[in-house]
Amino acid sequence: SQTIHQWPATLVQPVGSPLSLECTVEGTSNPNLYWYRQAAGRGLQLLFYSVGIGQISSEVPQNLSASRPQDRQFILSSKKLLLSDSGFYLCAWRRASGSSYNEQFFGPGTRLTVL
Amino acid sequence: AQKITQTQPGMFVQEKEAVTLDCTYDTSDPSYGLFWYKQPSSGEMIFLIYQGSYDQQNATEGRYSLNFQKARKSANLVISASQLGDSAMYFCAMREGPGYGGATNKLIFGTGTLLAVQP
């Protein structure tokens, strides 16, 4: 079966500090990968998606970046955090092909607080 | 314009009763998909049910069913026989375009409905 991991689960960082959030998927190959952010009391906003190693598409211009160094690893980074970067960050994966390819499956999320 | 609209910020339902959560969408793409996710207080997003724009029948998954009215662009979630564990935030989401090939398959989410099941 497939599982998706995110770490850390919670993070408190000062403004201006760097950020690295990691997401890994097990039990599947060549998944489509996604980073979403959820502000408090709001729906999810897509930040980045990737259809393969090294292939990153950005949906929202901001001070965040994403990388996919391995097939099942997706990293969200920032060089200098802003207060507005606070939120709940969710990684998701989807099968690129085959049956049941429609669903996106989400990880447990990382709650980031920037002070 | 909002692509996904959930007009009910919060809902109450008695245990064992059925409840309908509203969702309307806006797209000009003939091929799209509609999803419902549940988000308990722990924060994880749990996939509940999916309806494709070309599906002839309403989707059902256990106690969940999707009332798909294409002409009205609505995709309401019906939860039958509510349980205390159903208390959570519920999000409607849409994928524009087909979900195969090199499609992005990005999801556009509504603002959610907070459901509280009362004993």
Side-chain angles (χ1 to χ4, degrees), chain B residues 22-72:
Chain B
D22 295 340
C23 173
T24 57
Y25 59 92
D26 182 26
T27 182
S28 57
D29 197 319
S31 179
Y32 53 90
L34 297 157
F35 302 75
W36 278 92
Y37 284 86
K38 172 184 178 182
Q39 187 179 41
S41 57
S42 60
E44 62 182 309
M45 295 287 284
I46 302 168
F47 167 75
L48 296 178
I49 197 166
Y50 167 80
Q51 179 85 42
S53 59
Y54 294 118
D55 293 343
Q56 295 296 315
Q57 294 186 329
N58 287 345
T60 60
E61 289 287 348
R63 295 186 297 112
Y64 304 108
S65 60
L66 200 153
N67 184 4
F68 182 44
Q69 298 187 42
K70 197 169 183 176
R72 298 178 62 182

mmCIF file of all heavy atoms in Angstrom, chain B residues 22-72:
data_model
loop_
_atom_site.group_PDB
_atom_site.id
_atom_site.type_symbol
_atom_site.label_atom_id
_atom_site.label_comp_id
_atom_site.label_asym_id
_atom_site.label_seq_id
_atom_site.Cartn_x
_atom_site.Cartn_y
_atom_site.Cartn_z
ATOM 1 N N ASP B 22 -23.588 21.645 0.779
ATOM 2 C CA ASP B 22 -23.744 22.211 -0.555
ATOM 3 C C ASP B 22 -22.410 22.580 -1.199
ATOM 4 O O ASP B 22 -21.467 23.016 -0.527
ATOM 5 C CB ASP B 22 -24.617 23.469 -0.494
ATOM 6 C CG ASP B 22 -26.042 23.172 -0.069
ATOM 7 O OD1 ASP B 22 -26.459 22.002 -0.182
ATOM 8 O OD2 ASP B 22 -26.731 24.112 0.370
ATOM 9 N N CYS B 23 -22.376 22.431 -2.508
ATOM 10 C CA CYS B 23 -21.203 22.827 -3.285
ATOM 11 C C CYS B 23 -21.665 23.186 -4.696
ATOM 12 O O CYS B 23 -22.351 22.396 -5.345
ATOM 13 C CB CYS B 23 -20.183 21.694 -3.352
ATOM 14 S SG CYS B 23 -18.785 22.013 -4.454
ATOM 15 N N THR B 24 -21.322 24.367 -5.145
ATOM 16 C CA THR B 24 -21.545 24.725 -6.548
ATOM 17 C C THR B 24 -20.207 25.069 -7.166
ATOM 18 O O THR B 24 -19.272 25.477 -6.481
ATOM 19 C CB THR B 24 -22.511 25.910 -6.701
ATOM 20 O OG1 THR B 24 -21.989 27.032 -5.967
ATOM 21 C CG2 THR B 24 -23.891 25.564 -6.180
ATOM 22 N N TYR B 25 -20.125 24.875 -8.467
ATOM 23 C CA TYR B 25 -18.848 25.075 -9.143
ATOM 24 C C TYR B 25 -19.060 25.860 -10.424
ATOM 25 O O TYR B 25 -20.189 25.987 -10.923
ATOM 26 C CB TYR B 25 -18.183 23.727 -9.427
ATOM 27 C CG TYR B 25 -19.007 22.800 -10.290
ATOM 28 C CD1 TYR B 25 -18.866 22.782 -11.672
ATOM 29 C CD2 TYR B 25 -19.941 21.942 -9.715
ATOM 30 C CE1 TYR B 25 -19.623 21.945 -12.464
ATOM 31 C CE2 TYR B 25 -20.710 21.103 -10.505
ATOM 32 C CZ TYR B 25 -20.556 21.099 -11.866
ATOM 33 O OH TYR B 25 -21.322 20.277 -12.644
ATOM 34 N N ASP B 26 -17.981 26.355 -10.950
ATOM 35 C CA ASP B 26 -18.036 27.157 -12.169
ATOM 36 C C ASP B 26 -16.866 26.768 -13.053
ATOM 37 O O ASP B 26 -15.705 26.925 -12.667
ATOM 38 C CB ASP B 26 -17.979 28.652 -11.831
ATOM 39 C CG ASP B 26 -18.095 29.524 -13.066
ATOM 40 O OD1 ASP B 26 -18.698 29.071 -14.068
ATOM 41 O OD2 ASP B 26 -17.580 30.654 -13.043
ATOM 42 N N THR B 27 -17.167 26.265 -14.230
ATOM 43 C CA THR B 27 -16.137 25.931 -15.193
ATOM 44 C C THR B 27 -16.737 25.911 -16.588
ATOM 45 O O THR B 27 -17.917 25.609 -16.744
ATOM 46 C CB THR B 27 -15.487 24.574 -14.887
ATOM 47 O OG1 THR B 27 -14.452 24.329 -15.838
ATOM 48 C CG2 THR B 27 -16.491 23.439 -14.941
ATOM 49 N N SER B 28 -15.923 26.207 -17.573
ATOM 50 C CA SER B 28 -16.361 26.121 -18.959
ATOM 51 C C SER B 28 -15.755 24.896 -19.636
ATOM 52 O O SER B 28 -16.028 24.621 -20.805
ATOM 53 C CB SER B 28 -15.958 27.390 -19.726
ATOM 54 O OG SER B 28 -14.560 27.585 -19.640
ATOM 55 N N ASP B 29 -14.937 24.163 -18.877
ATOM 56 C CA ASP B 29 -14.317 22.964 -19.421
ATOM 57 C C ASP B 29 -15.323 21.821 -19.382
ATOM 58 O O ASP B 29 -15.919 21.577 -18.326
ATOM 59 C CB ASP B 29 -13.075 22.611 -18.583
ATOM 60 C CG ASP B 29 -12.144 21.652 -19.293
ATOM 61 O OD1 ASP B 29 -12.625 20.712 -19.941
ATOM 62 O OD2 ASP B 29 -10.921 21.841 -19.175
ATOM 63 N N PRO B 30 -15.544 21.116 -20.499
ATOM 64 C CA PRO B 30 -16.530 20.022 -20.476
ATOM 65 C C PRO B 30 -16.058 18.809 -19.681
ATOM 66 O O PRO B 30 -16.869 17.985 -19.265
ATOM 67 C CB PRO B 30 -16.690 19.672 -21.964
ATOM 68 C CG PRO B 30 -15.409 20.108 -22.586
ATOM 69 C CD PRO B 30 -14.954 21.316 -21.830
ATOM 70 N N SER B 31 -14.756 18.707 -19.478
ATOM 71 C CA SER B 31 -14.206 17.577 -18.729
ATOM 72 C C SER B 31 -13.663 18.076 -17.402
ATOM 73 O O SER B 31 -12.769 18.931 -17.364
ATOM 74 C CB SER B 31 -13.089 16.904 -19.537
ATOM 75 O OG SER B 31 -12.533 15.830 -18.818
ATOM 76 N N TYR B 32 -14.208 17.570 -16.331
ATOM 77 C CA TYR B 32 -13.755 17.993 -15.007
ATOM 78 C C TYR B 32 -14.123 16.919 -13.988
ATOM 79 O O TYR B 32 -14.855 15.971 -14.286
ATOM 80 C CB TYR B 32 -14.358 19.346 -14.596
ATOM 81 C CG TYR B 32 -15.865 19.410 -14.681
ATOM 82 C CD1 TYR B 32 -16.665 19.063 -13.596
ATOM 83 C CD2 TYR B 32 -16.508 19.814 -15.854
ATOM 84 C CE1 TYR B 32 -18.041 19.107 -13.677
ATOM 85 C CE2 TYR B 32 -17.885 19.871 -15.940
ATOM 86 C CZ TYR B 32 -18.647 19.516 -14.860
ATOM 87 O OH TYR B 32 -20.016 19.569 -14.942
ATOM 88 N N GLY B 33 -13.574 17.064 -12.820
ATOM 89 C CA GLY B 33 -13.882 16.126 -11.747
ATOM 90 C C GLY B 33 -14.186 16.882 -10.475
ATOM 91 O O GLY B 33 -13.676 17.974 -10.237
ATOM 92 N N LEU B 34 -15.019 16.301 -9.673
ATOM 93 C CA LEU B 34 -15.420 16.923 -8.407
ATOM 94 C C LEU B 34 -15.097 15.983 -7.252
ATOM 95 O O LEU B 34 -15.322 14.774 -7.350
ATOM 96 C CB LEU B 34 -16.911 17.241 -8.440
ATOM 97 C CG LEU B 34 -17.280 18.261 -9.527
ATOM 98 C CD1 LEU B 34 -18.739 18.138 -9.903
ATOM 99 C CD2 LEU B 34 -16.954 19.667 -9.075
ATOM 100 N N PHE B 35 -14.558 16.533 -6.199
ATOM 101 C CA PHE B 35 -14.084 15.751 -5.069
ATOM 102 C C PHE B 35 -14.659 16.319 -3.772
ATOM 103 O O PHE B 35 -14.899 17.518 -3.662
ATOM 104 C CB PHE B 35 -12.552 15.837 -4.952
ATOM 105 C CG PHE B 35 -11.793 15.386 -6.170
ATOM 106 C CD1 PHE B 35 -11.735 16.188 -7.304
ATOM 107 C CD2 PHE B 35 -11.135 14.178 -6.172
ATOM 108 C CE1 PHE B 35 -11.021 15.777 -8.430
ATOM 109 C CE2 PHE B 35 -10.413 13.762 -7.288
ATOM 110 C CZ PHE B 35 -10.355 14.562 -8.412
ATOM 111 N N TRP B 36 -14.800 15.434 -2.808
ATOM 112 C CA TRP B 36 -15.058 15.860 -1.442
ATOM 113 C C TRP B 36 -13.991 15.271 -0.539
ATOM 114 O O TRP B 36 -13.653 14.087 -0.659
ATOM 115 C CB TRP B 36 -16.440 15.412 -0.959
ATOM 116 C CG TRP B 36 -17.545 16.316 -1.402
ATOM 117 C CD1 TRP B 36 -18.318 16.207 -2.524
ATOM 118 C CD2 TRP B 36 -18.025 17.472 -0.710
ATOM 119 N NE1 TRP B 36 -19.233 17.227 -2.576
ATOM 120 C CE2 TRP B 36 -19.074 18.026 -1.477
ATOM 121 C CE3 TRP B 36 -17.660 18.112 0.484
ATOM 122 C CZ2 TRP B 36 -19.774 19.165 -1.088
ATOM 123 C CZ3 TRP B 36 -18.349 19.240 0.866
ATOM 124 C CH2 TRP B 36 -19.396 19.762 0.086
ATOM 125 N N TYR B 37 -13.481 16.149 0.339
ATOM 126 C CA TYR B 37 -12.493 15.741 1.327
ATOM 127 C C TYR B 37 -13.002 16.107 2.718
ATOM 128 O O TYR B 37 -13.692 17.118 2.901
ATOM 129 C CB TYR B 37 -11.149 16.440 1.098
ATOM 130 C CG TYR B 37 -10.335 15.885 -0.047
ATOM 131 C CD1 TYR B 37 -10.540 16.334 -1.346
ATOM 132 C CD2 TYR B 37 -9.363 14.927 0.179
ATOM 133 C CE1 TYR B 37 -9.784 15.837 -2.397
ATOM 134 C CE2 TYR B 37 -8.596 14.426 -0.872
ATOM 135 C CZ TYR B 37 -8.821 14.883 -2.147
ATOM 136 O OH TYR B 37 -8.065 14.382 -3.190
ATOM 137 N N LYS B 38 -12.596 15.297 3.686
ATOM 138 C CA LYS B 38 -12.909 15.542 5.093
ATOM 139 C C LYS B 38 -11.617 15.905 5.805
ATOM 140 O O LYS B 38 -10.585 15.259 5.612
ATOM 141 C CB LYS B 38 -13.512 14.271 5.707
ATOM 142 C CG LYS B 38 -13.718 14.307 7.210
ATOM 143 C CD LYS B 38 -14.231 12.950 7.687
ATOM 144 C CE LYS B 38 -14.398 12.910 9.189
ATOM 145 N NZ LYS B 38 -14.861 11.559 9.645
ATOM 146 N N GLN B 39 -11.681 16.951 6.619
ATOM 147 C CA GLN B 39 -10.504 17.354 7.387
ATOM 148 C C GLN B 39 -10.866 17.411 8.866
ATOM 149 O O GLN B 39 -11.456 18.375 9.345
ATOM 150 C CB GLN B 39 -9.963 18.705 6.928
ATOM 151 C CG GLN B 39 -8.635 19.076 7.590
ATOM 152 C CD GLN B 39 -8.080 20.399 7.113
ATOM 153 O OE1 GLN B 39 -8.808 21.364 6.929
ATOM 154 N NE2 GLN B 39 -6.755 20.462 6.900
ATOM 155 N N PRO B 40 -10.530 16.372 9.628
ATOM 156 C CA PRO B 40 -10.774 16.410 11.077
ATOM 157 C C PRO B 40 -9.812 17.394 11.734
ATOM 158 O O PRO B 40 -8.938 17.969 11.086
ATOM 159 C CB PRO B 40 -10.517 14.964 11.517
ATOM 160 C CG PRO B 40 -9.708 14.362 10.421
ATOM 161 C CD PRO B 40 -9.963 15.114 9.165
ATOM 162 N N SER B 41 -9.965 17.552 13.025
ATOM 163 C CA SER B 41 -9.155 18.531 13.752
ATOM 164 C C SER B 41 -7.663 18.219 13.689
ATOM 165 O O SER B 41 -6.829 19.105 13.893
ATOM 166 C CB SER B 41 -9.613 18.627 15.204
ATOM 167 O OG SER B 41 -9.558 17.358 15.817
ATOM 168 N N SER B 42 -7.319 16.978 13.405
ATOM 169 C CA SER B 42 -5.902 16.605 13.280
ATOM 170 C C SER B 42 -5.243 17.246 12.057
ATOM 171 O O SER B 42 -4.015 17.342 11.996
ATOM 172 C CB SER B 42 -5.764 15.088 13.193
ATOM 173 O OG SER B 42 -6.479 14.597 12.067
ATOM 174 N N GLY B 43 -6.046 17.649 11.083
ATOM 175 C CA GLY B 43 -5.516 18.371 9.939
ATOM 176 C C GLY B 43 -5.362 17.572 8.664
ATOM 177 O O GLY B 43 -5.293 18.151 7.582
ATOM 178 N N GLU B 44 -5.314 16.265 8.752
ATOM 179 C CA GLU B 44 -5.136 15.504 7.521
ATOM 180 C C GLU B 44 -6.356 15.631 6.624
ATOM 181 O O GLU B 44 -7.467 15.829 7.093
ATOM 182 C CB GLU B 44 -4.889 14.030 7.868
ATOM 183 C CG GLU B 44 -6.042 13.386 8.598
ATOM 184 C CD GLU B 44 -5.749 11.949 8.980
ATOM 185 O OE1 GLU B 44 -5.343 11.174 8.120
ATOM 186 O OE2 GLU B 44 -5.959 11.635 10.166
ATOM 187 N N MET B 45 -6.133 15.546 5.337
ATOM 188 C CA MET B 45 -7.218 15.609 4.366
ATOM 189 C C MET B 45 -7.535 14.192 3.926
ATOM 190 O O MET B 45 -6.678 13.487 3.386
ATOM 191 C CB MET B 45 -6.800 16.442 3.149
ATOM 192 C CG MET B 45 -6.547 17.893 3.455
ATOM 193 S SD MET B 45 -8.063 18.809 3.776
ATOM 194 C CE MET B 45 -8.675 18.995 2.102
ATOM 195 N N ILE B 46 -8.777 13.799 4.143
ATOM 196 C CA ILE B 46 -9.196 12.432 3.844
ATOM 197 C C ILE B 46 -10.117 12.453 2.633
ATOM 198 O O ILE B 46 -11.169 13.108 2.664
ATOM 199 C CB ILE B 46 -9.915 11.812 5.050
ATOM 200 C CG1 ILE B 46 -8.993 11.828 6.276
ATOM 201 C CG2 ILE B 46 -10.371 10.395 4.733
ATOM 202 C CD1 ILE B 46 -9.705 11.511 7.578
ATOM 203 N N PHE B 47 -9.734 11.744 1.590
ATOM 204 C CA PHE B 47 -10.561 11.671 0.388
ATOM 205 C C PHE B 47 -11.835 10.886 0.684
ATOM 206 O O PHE B 47 -11.800 9.803 1.283
ATOM 207 C CB PHE B 47 -9.773 10.996 -0.737
ATOM 208 C CG PHE B 47 -10.614 10.601 -1.909
ATOM 209 C CD1 PHE B 47 -11.057 11.558 -2.803
ATOM 210 C CD2 PHE B 47 -10.976 9.285 -2.114
ATOM 211 C CE1 PHE B 47 -11.839 11.207 -3.885
ATOM 212 C CE2 PHE B 47 -11.749 8.921 -3.204
ATOM 213 C CZ PHE B 47 -12.192 9.884 -4.083
ATOM 214 N N LEU B 48 -12.986 11.435 0.248
ATOM 215 C CA LEU B 48 -14.259 10.774 0.502
ATOM 216 C C LEU B 48 -14.881 10.197 -0.765
ATOM 217 O O LEU B 48 -15.287 9.028 -0.798
ATOM 218 C CB LEU B 48 -15.252 11.758 1.127
ATOM 219 C CG LEU B 48 -14.913 12.314 2.499
ATOM 220 C CD1 LEU B 48 -15.980 13.307 2.935
ATOM 221 C CD2 LEU B 48 -14.781 11.195 3.526
ATOM 222 N N ILE B 49 -14.987 11.044 -1.801
ATOM 223 C CA ILE B 49 -15.783 10.627 -2.942
ATOM 224 C C ILE B 49 -15.410 11.471 -4.154
ATOM 225 O O ILE B 49 -14.974 12.615 -4.019
ATOM 226 C CB ILE B 49 -17.292 10.754 -2.605
ATOM 227 C CG1 ILE B 49 -18.154 9.959 -3.582
ATOM 228 C CG2 ILE B 49 -17.716 12.219 -2.527
ATOM 229 C CD1 ILE B 49 -19.587 9.780 -3.073
ATOM 230 N N TYR B 50 -15.590 10.864 -5.333
ATOM 231 C CA TYR B 50 -15.240 11.527 -6.590
ATOM 232 C C TYR B 50 -16.362 11.361 -7.607
ATOM 233 O O TYR B 50 -17.004 10.301 -7.686
ATOM 234 C CB TYR B 50 -13.956 10.919 -7.169
ATOM 235 C CG TYR B 50 -13.689 11.312 -8.601
ATOM 236 C CD1 TYR B 50 -13.124 12.545 -8.897
ATOM 237 C CD2 TYR B 50 -14.013 10.462 -9.659
ATOM 238 C CE1 TYR B 50 -12.888 12.923 -10.207
ATOM 239 C CE2 TYR B 50 -13.779 10.832 -10.966
ATOM 240 C CZ TYR B 50 -13.210 12.060 -11.248
ATOM 241 O OH TYR B 50 -12.984 12.437 -12.540
ATOM 242 N N GLN B 51 -16.609 12.431 -8.391
ATOM 243 C CA GLN B 51 -17.589 12.395 -9.470
ATOM 244 C C GLN B 51 -16.969 12.993 -10.716
ATOM 245 O O GLN B 51 -16.504 14.134 -10.684
ATOM 246 C CB GLN B 51 -18.840 13.211 -9.090
ATOM 247 C CG GLN B 51 -19.920 13.259 -10.140
ATOM 248 C CD GLN B 51 -20.856 12.070 -10.069
ATOM 249 O OE1 GLN B 51 -21.256 11.641 -8.996
ATOM 250 N NE2 GLN B 51 -21.240 11.545 -11.208
ATOM 251 N N GLY B 52 -16.936 12.248 -11.796
ATOM 252 C CA GLY B 52 -16.457 12.775 -13.063
ATOM 253 C C GLY B 52 -17.579 13.446 -13.827
ATOM 254 O O GLY B 52 -18.742 13.053 -13.698
ATOM 255 N N SER B 53 -17.230 14.421 -14.639
ATOM 256 C CA SER B 53 -18.258 15.186 -15.342
ATOM 257 C C SER B 53 -19.034 14.340 -16.329
ATOM 258 O O SER B 53 -20.172 14.666 -16.679
ATOM 259 C CB SER B 53 -17.636 16.384 -16.063
ATOM 260 O OG SER B 53 -16.653 15.959 -17.006
ATOM 261 N N TYR B 54 -18.458 13.239 -16.784
ATOM 262 C CA TYR B 54 -19.138 12.388 -17.756
ATOM 263 C C TYR B 54 -19.793 11.170 -17.112
ATOM 264 O O TYR B 54 -20.395 10.352 -17.804
ATOM 265 C CB TYR B 54 -18.152 11.938 -18.838
ATOM 266 C CG TYR B 54 -17.648 13.074 -19.698
ATOM 267 C CD1 TYR B 54 -16.299 13.388 -19.730
ATOM 268 C CD2 TYR B 54 -18.516 13.838 -20.467
ATOM 269 C CE1 TYR B 54 -15.825 14.428 -20.519
ATOM 270 C CE2 TYR B 54 -18.055 14.884 -21.252
ATOM 271 C CZ TYR B 54 -16.703 15.170 -21.271
ATOM 272 O OH TYR B 54 -16.243 16.205 -22.055
ATOM 273 N N ASP B 55 -19.651 11.073 -15.810
ATOM 274 C CA ASP B 55 -20.279 9.935 -15.122
ATOM 275 C C ASP B 55 -21.788 10.092 -15.162
ATOM 276 O O ASP B 55 -22.328 11.155 -14.811
ATOM 277 C CB ASP B 55 -19.799 9.857 -13.669
ATOM 278 C CG ASP B 55 -18.313 9.519 -13.557
ATOM 279 O OD1 ASP B 55 -17.760 9.039 -14.564
ATOM 280 O OD2 ASP B 55 -17.739 9.725 -12.480
ATOM 281 N N GLN B 56 -22.464 9.019 -15.540
ATOM 282 C CA GLN B 56 -23.920 9.077 -15.693
ATOM 283 C C GLN B 56 -24.639 8.955 -14.352
ATOM 284 O O GLN B 56 -25.740 9.489 -14.181
ATOM 285 C CB GLN B 56 -24.381 7.970 -16.636
ATOM 286 C CG GLN B 56 -23.876 8.131 -18.070
ATOM 287 C CD GLN B 56 -24.417 9.380 -18.733
ATOM 288 O OE1 GLN B 56 -25.600 9.685 -18.651
ATOM 289 N NE2 GLN B 56 -23.532 10.133 -19.382
ATOM 290 N N GLN B 57 -24.031 8.226 -13.450
ATOM 291 C CA GLN B 57 -24.687 8.007 -12.169
ATOM 292 C C GLN B 57 -23.994 8.780 -11.052
ATOM 293 O O GLN B 57 -22.783 9.037 -11.117
ATOM 294 C CB GLN B 57 -24.676 6.505 -11.841
ATOM 295 C CG GLN B 57 -25.522 5.666 -12.792
ATOM 296 C CD GLN B 57 -25.607 4.226 -12.341
ATOM 297 O OE1 GLN B 57 -24.670 3.712 -11.729
ATOM 298 N NE2 GLN B 57 -26.723 3.575 -12.616
ATOM 299 N N ASN B 58 -24.759 9.112 -10.043
ATOM 300 C CA ASN B 58 -24.186 9.765 -8.876
ATOM 301 C C ASN B 58 -23.252 8.809 -8.144
ATOM 302 O O ASN B 58 -23.559 7.634 -7.969
ATOM 303 C CB ASN B 58 -25.289 10.229 -7.924
ATOM 304 C CG ASN B 58 -26.035 11.433 -8.461
ATOM 305 O OD1 ASN B 58 -25.591 12.094 -9.392
ATOM 306 N ND2 ASN B 58 -27.185 11.720 -7.881
ATOM 307 N N ALA B 59 -22.115 9.339 -7.708
ATOM 308 C CA ALA B 59 -21.155 8.510 -6.999
ATOM 309 C C ALA B 59 -21.643 8.201 -5.584
ATOM 310 O O ALA B 59 -22.316 9.026 -4.941
ATOM 311 C CB ALA B 59 -19.810 9.230 -6.918
ATOM 312 N N THR B 60 -21.324 6.993 -5.128
ATOM 313 C CA THR B 60 -21.631 6.605 -3.754
ATOM 314 C C THR B 60 -20.428 5.868 -3.182
ATOM 315 O O THR B 60 -19.746 5.117 -3.888
ATOM 316 C CB THR B 60 -22.874 5.704 -3.661
ATOM 317 O OG1 THR B 60 -22.617 4.522 -4.423
ATOM 318 C CG2 THR B 60 -24.107 6.398 -4.184
ATOM 319 N N GLU B 61 -20.179 6.110 -1.891
ATOM 320 C CA GLU B 61 -19.113 5.410 -1.169
ATOM 321 C C GLU B 61 -19.596 5.209 0.261
ATOM 322 O O GLU B 61 -19.498 6.102 1.101
ATOM 323 C CB GLU B 61 -17.808 6.234 -1.150
ATOM 324 C CG GLU B 61 -17.084 6.331 -2.458
ATOM 325 C CD GLU B 61 -16.384 5.059 -2.861
ATOM 326 O OE1 GLU B 61 -16.259 4.145 -2.015
ATOM 327 O OE2 GLU B 61 -15.947 4.975 -4.027
ATOM 328 N N GLY B 62 -20.159 4.062 0.524
ATOM 329 C CA GLY B 62 -20.650 3.794 1.864
ATOM 330 C C GLY B 62 -21.755 4.761 2.257
ATOM 331 O O GLY B 62 -22.772 4.852 1.576
ATOM 332 N N ARG B 63 -21.543 5.504 3.340
ATOM 333 C CA ARG B 63 -22.561 6.460 3.799
ATOM 334 C C ARG B 63 -22.518 7.790 3.047
ATOM 335 O O ARG B 63 -23.337 8.680 3.307
ATOM 336 C CB ARG B 63 -22.391 6.706 5.303
ATOM 337 C CG ARG B 63 -22.655 5.497 6.185
ATOM 338 C CD ARG B 63 -22.614 5.866 7.667
ATOM 339 N NE ARG B 63 -21.305 6.354 8.077
ATOM 340 C CZ ARG B 63 -21.064 7.615 8.432
ATOM 341 N NH1 ARG B 63 -22.034 8.511 8.425
ATOM 342 N NH2 ARG B 63 -19.849 7.964 8.813
ATOM 343 N N TYR B 64 -21.561 7.915 2.142
ATOM 344 C CA TYR B 64 -21.418 9.162 1.391
ATOM 345 C C TYR B 64 -22.001 8.994 -0.015
ATOM 346 O O TYR B 64 -21.765 7.991 -0.676
ATOM 347 C CB TYR B 64 -19.945 9.562 1.257
ATOM 348 C CG TYR B 64 -19.217 9.695 2.571
ATOM 349 C CD1 TYR B 64 -18.270 8.753 2.971
ATOM 350 C CD2 TYR B 64 -19.477 10.767 3.420
ATOM 351 C CE1 TYR B 64 -17.598 8.872 4.172
ATOM 352 C CE2 TYR B 64 -18.799 10.894 4.624
ATOM 353 C CZ TYR B 64 -17.863 9.942 4.993
ATOM 354 O OH TYR B 64 -17.200 10.057 6.194
ATOM 355 N N SER B 65 -22.725 9.986 -0.440
ATOM 356 C CA SER B 65 -23.177 10.018 -1.822
ATOM 357 C C SER B 65 -23.060 11.447 -2.329
ATOM 358 O O SER B 65 -23.097 12.408 -1.554
ATOM 359 C CB SER B 65 -24.612 9.511 -1.961
ATOM 360 O OG SER B 65 -25.491 10.310 -1.193
ATOM 361 N N LEU B 66 -22.883 11.561 -3.619
ATOM 362 C CA LEU B 66 -22.716 12.872 -4.233
ATOM 363 C C LEU B 66 -23.916 13.132 -5.125
ATOM 364 O O LEU B 66 -24.164 12.376 -6.072
ATOM 365 C CB LEU B 66 -21.403 12.910 -5.036
ATOM 366 C CG LEU B 66 -20.821 14.294 -5.338
ATOM 367 C CD1 LEU B 66 -19.311 14.224 -5.497
ATOM 368 C CD2 LEU B 66 -21.458 14.865 -6.603
ATOM 369 N N ASN B 67 -24.651 14.158 -4.816
ATOM 370 C CA ASN B 67 -25.819 14.544 -5.606
ATOM 371 C C ASN B 67 -25.350 15.492 -6.701
ATOM 372 O O ASN B 67 -25.229 16.698 -6.485
ATOM 373 C CB ASN B 67 -26.865 15.207 -4.700
ATOM 374 C CG ASN B 67 -28.134 15.532 -5.450
ATOM 375 O OD1 ASN B 67 -28.283 15.207 -6.641
ATOM 376 N ND2 ASN B 67 -29.074 16.164 -4.781
ATOM 377 N N PHE B 68 -25.093 14.918 -7.872
ATOM 378 C CA PHE B 68 -24.501 15.659 -8.981
ATOM 379 C C PHE B 68 -25.607 16.158 -9.907
ATOM 380 O O PHE B 68 -26.318 15.361 -10.511
ATOM 381 C CB PHE B 68 -23.545 14.740 -9.747
ATOM 382 C CG PHE B 68 -22.826 15.376 -10.904
ATOM 383 C CD1 PHE B 68 -22.261 16.633 -10.796
ATOM 384 C CD2 PHE B 68 -22.694 14.697 -12.111
ATOM 385 C CE1 PHE B 68 -21.587 17.213 -11.856
ATOM 386 C CE2 PHE B 68 -22.015 15.264 -13.184
ATOM 387 C CZ PHE B 68 -21.464 16.525 -13.054
ATOM 388 N N GLN B 69 -25.748 17.473 -9.974
ATOM 389 C CA GLN B 69 -26.725 18.085 -10.871
ATOM 390 C C GLN B 69 -25.956 18.979 -11.834
ATOM 391 O O GLN B 69 -25.667 20.147 -11.541
ATOM 392 C CB GLN B 69 -27.769 18.863 -10.079
ATOM 393 C CG GLN B 69 -28.564 17.971 -9.135
ATOM 394 C CD GLN B 69 -29.712 18.708 -8.472
ATOM 395 O OE1 GLN B 69 -30.416 19.485 -9.111
ATOM 396 N NE2 GLN B 69 -29.904 18.458 -7.185
ATOM 397 N N LYS B 70 -25.647 18.401 -12.986
ATOM 398 C CA LYS B 70 -24.726 19.044 -13.934
ATOM 399 C C LYS B 70 -25.262 20.362 -14.458
ATOM 400 O O LYS B 70 -24.530 21.344 -14.574
ATOM 401 C CB LYS B 70 -24.447 18.074 -15.084
ATOM 402 C CG LYS B 70 -23.241 18.400 -15.923
ATOM 403 C CD LYS B 70 -22.922 17.241 -16.847
ATOM 404 C CE LYS B 70 -21.670 17.508 -17.644
ATOM 405 N NZ LYS B 70 -21.309 16.345 -18.482
ATOM 406 N N ALA B 71 -26.548 20.393 -14.794
ATOM 407 C CA ALA B 71 -27.127 21.614 -15.363
ATOM 408 C C ALA B 71 -27.090 22.764 -14.365
ATOM 409 O O ALA B 71 -26.933 23.930 -14.743
ATOM 410 C CB ALA B 71 -28.550 21.347 -15.813
ATOM 411 N N ARG B 72 -27.211 22.430 -13.104
ATOM 412 C CA ARG B 72 -27.182 23.455 -12.050
ATOM 413 C C ARG B 72 -25.775 23.676 -11.521
ATOM 414 O O ARG B 72 -25.551 24.512 -10.659
ATOM 415 C CB ARG B 72 -28.097 23.035 -10.904
ATOM 416 C CG ARG B 72 -29.549 22.892 -11.282
ATOM 417 C CD ARG B 72 -30.387 22.431 -10.120
ATOM 418 N NE ARG B 72 -30.363 23.378 -9.014
ATOM 419 C CZ ARG B 72 -30.988 23.193 -7.856
ATOM 420 N NH1 ARG B 72 -31.678 22.086 -7.671
ATOM 421 N NH2 ARG B 72 -30.920 24.100 -6.907
#
